[in-house]
Amino acid sequence: MPDTRKPDHSRRSERSRQAILEATRALVSEVGYGKVAIETIAARAGVGKQTIYRWWPSKGAVIFDAFLALSEGHEGQGMALPDTGDIEADLKTVMRATAAEFADAEFDKPIRALNNEIINDPDLAAQYREKLARPVDEAKKERLRSAQRAGQLAADADLDLVLEVLYAPLFQRWLHRSGPLTAEYADSLVDITLRAFRP
Amino acid sequence: MPDTRKPDHSRRSERSRQAILEATRALVSEVGYGKVAIETIAARAGVGKQTIYRWWPSKGAVIFDAFLALSEGHEGQGMALPDTGDIEADLKTVMRATAAEFADAEFDKPIRALNNEIINDPDLAAQYREKLARPVDEAKKERLRSAQRAGQLAADADLDLVLEVLYAPLFQRWLHRSGPLTAEYADSLVDITLRAFRP
């Protein structure tokens, strides 16, 4: 039955892809961005180097995809934010998930390692913004624009600033371990942001 | 004239103290918190080890004082925030100075090095909060309480949250080099915070 070959192949590819992304995150946590090599990722993932190069042009590309997949995976729905028409409810859903994610040790270690690298390496910070932060921020801004159209957020609000006010306190609290990352905290950040940027 | 001896001695002590704090900041930038030793600080500052131990009980204590002195030095007036009776004007003065400080390369390097250490070391993060962040935050909250009494800030505002909303966006923008640290940006953070926590 030749028509089943393709799905089987796809499943095998997907398993290899996931193994590569997991190996990448583990290695960044263990040895740091600078010391991770394609060879080591391939060995850890149990695939050939060529399998990695078939899908990713460079080490940087596979590392950023590994972190991007982590953000997507927890939501289970890609990068688009929920849009029920109620910006407060939707942002609380997203921010509670984000707080839970940062409080999760499995997520904490590789993201902490990535932040460590970014702090000291302006080029890597630029790559991070371009490849990882910007696509995610763009998806969030899409939801904020919908709230602006619905009159739930000031039409002239600077959306980069809205995202900073919403996320930076949680990021700093996580990075400095300066307070609990609870659902209540997530909710309060949404309440404050919506009050600051109300129409 | 025996009564001039004490001032001379004080000036010499103050010079030694400043040399020790400068040497400490330089060494943390160069080799990291973990590898800085009292011996190396003493050698760099041109003082004896005993001079350091006379004033500080431990390596941690001198390092935190070195960073605390950096924050105080730029303001030139200790930790108390200005209180002209106008919370908006006073916070803008402080936040513009903070933005300028973070944009200053001399400040950037040691604070970046300190953050790097804090991220990976929960014990050091706790020490940082206790010895460095808490006293500074307490001084800021004193000014916010005065604004609450003046009816310029909600009486039930969570002051830890007020400080996070005010400072965390600037901190994240600096850490990830994700945007300019201008006076306009500082002002907009004050405007947003006051809008979010208005009475």
Side-chain angles (χ1 to χ4, degrees):
Chain A
M1 297 199 289
D3 53 345
T4 63
R5 266 193 2 236
K6 206 168 171 214
D8 276 0
H9 177 70
S10 293
R11 275 196 294 275
R12 270 202 308 278
S13 288
E14 184 52 28
R15 275 199 302 274
S16 295
R17 194 176 159 274
Q18 289 304 330
I20 291 163
L21 298 177
E22 272 169 37
T24 304
R25 287 192 294 268
L27 286 164
V28 170
S29 301
E30 290 165 21
V31 302
Y33 182 100
K35 288 181 190 155
V36 174
I38 294 282
E39 288 78 1
T40 337
I41 296 172
R44 174 77 68 106
V47 303
K49 258 176 69 172
Q50 285 317 311
T51 304
I52 298 181
Y53 281 121
R54 198 192 318 147
W55 290 323
W56 292 279
S58 66
K59 179 182 108 171
V62 63
I63 288 181
F64 282 111
D65 262 11
F67 285 100
L68 204 54
L70 194 62
S71 295
E72 289 170 8
H74 275 249
E75 307 290 305
Q77 58 192 14
M79 270 191 292
L81 264 59
D83 192 348
T84 66
D86 180 345
I87 186 67
E88 182 186 329
D90 291 348
L91 286 183
K92 284 184 177 174
T93 301
V94 170
M95 290 302 287
R96 285 178 190 193
T98 303
E101 200 173 61
F102 276 101
D104 176 354
E106 195 200 339
F107 176 93
D108 179 287
K109 209 180 164 193
I111 297 292
R112 211 169 273 280
L114 181 68
N115 269 283
N116 229 45
E117 308 282 345
I118 283 172
I119 292 174
N120 297 311
D121 185 338
D123 290 342
L124 188 65
Q127 281 184 53
Y128 167 82
R129 282 196 307 281
E130 188 60 38
K131 295 186 184 158
L132 199 57
R134 186 176 300 182
V136 174
D137 283 355
E138 209 32 66
K140 293 170 186 166
K141 284 188 204 171
E142 209 39 67
R143 181 64 190 87
L144 296 178
R145 283 187 204 105
S146 160
Q148 285 179 311
R149 286 190 296 271
Q152 297 171 339
L153 200 66
D156 64 349
D158 173 343
L159 300 186
D160 286 305
L161 198 54
V162 175
L163 291 180
E164 285 185 329
V165 172
L166 192 57
Y167 282 89
L170 193 148
F171 171 74
Q172 180 185 267
R173 192 178 264 218
W174 166 74
L175 199 74
H176 284 168
R177 301 178 169 92
S178 51
L181 303 174
T182 59
E184 292 69 34
Y185 179 60
D187 286 356
S188 70
L189 292 178
V190 173
D191 290 336
I192 282 158
T193 303
L194 291 180
R195 208 176 306 146
F197 295 98
R198 71 162 58 125
Chain B
M1 296 197 289
D3 55 342
T4 63
R5 264 189 9 231
K6 207 169 172 209
D8 275 358
H9 178 70
S10 292
R11 275 196 294 273
R12 268 200 310 277
S13 288
E14 184 52 28
R15 274 198 303 274
S16 295
R17 194 177 160 273
Q18 288 304 330
I20 291 163
L21 297 177
E22 272 169 37
T24 304
R25 287 192 295 268
L27 286 164
V28 171
S29 302
E30 290 165 22
V31 303
Y33 183 99
K35 288 179 188 154
V36 173
I38 293 282
E39 287 77 2
T40 336
I41 296 172
R44 175 76 69 103
V47 302
K49 260 176 68 172
Q50 286 316 312
T51 304
I52 298 182
Y53 282 121
R54 199 192 317 148
W55 289 324
W56 292 279
S58 67
K59 180 182 107 170
V62 63
I63 288 180
F64 282 112
D65 262 10
F67 284 100
L68 204 55
L70 194 62
S71 295
E72 289 170 8
H74 274 249
E75 307 290 306
Q77 58 191 15
M79 271 192 289
L81 264 58
D83 192 347
T84 66
D86 179 344
I87 185 68
E88 183 187 329
D90 291 349
L91 286 183
K92 285 184 177 174
T93 301
V94 169
M95 290 302 287
R96 285 178 189 192
T98 303
E101 200 173 62
F102 275 101
D104 175 354
E106 195 201 337
F107 176 92
D108 180 286
K109 210 179 164 191
I111 297 291
R112 211 168 272 280
L114 181 68
N115 268 283
N116 229 47
E117 308 281 347
I118 282 172
I119 292 174
N120 297 312
D121 185 340
D123 289 341
L124 188 65
Q127 280 184 53
Y128 166 81
R129 281 197 307 281
E130 189 59 40
K131 294 186 185 155
L132 199 56
R134 185 175 300 182
V136 173
D137 282 355
E138 209 32 66
K140 292 170 185 166
K141 284 189 205 171
E142 209 39 68
R143 180 65 190 87
L144 296 178
R145 282 187 204 106
S146 160
Q148 286 178 312
R149 287 190 296 270
Q152 298 171 339
L153 200 66
D156 64 349
D158 173 343
L159 300 186
D160 285 306
L161 198 54
V162 175
L163 291 181
E164 285 185 329
V165 172
L166 191 57
Y167 282 88
L170 193 148
F171 171 74
Q172 181 184 266
R173 191 178 266 218
W174 165 74
L175 199 73
H176 285 169
R177 299 179 171 92
S178 51
L181 303 174
T182 58
E184 292 68 35
Y185 180 60
D187 285 356
S188 70
L189 292 177
V190 174
D191 291 336
I192 282 158
T193 303
L194 292 180
R195 208 176 304 146
F197 295 98
R198 71 162 57 125

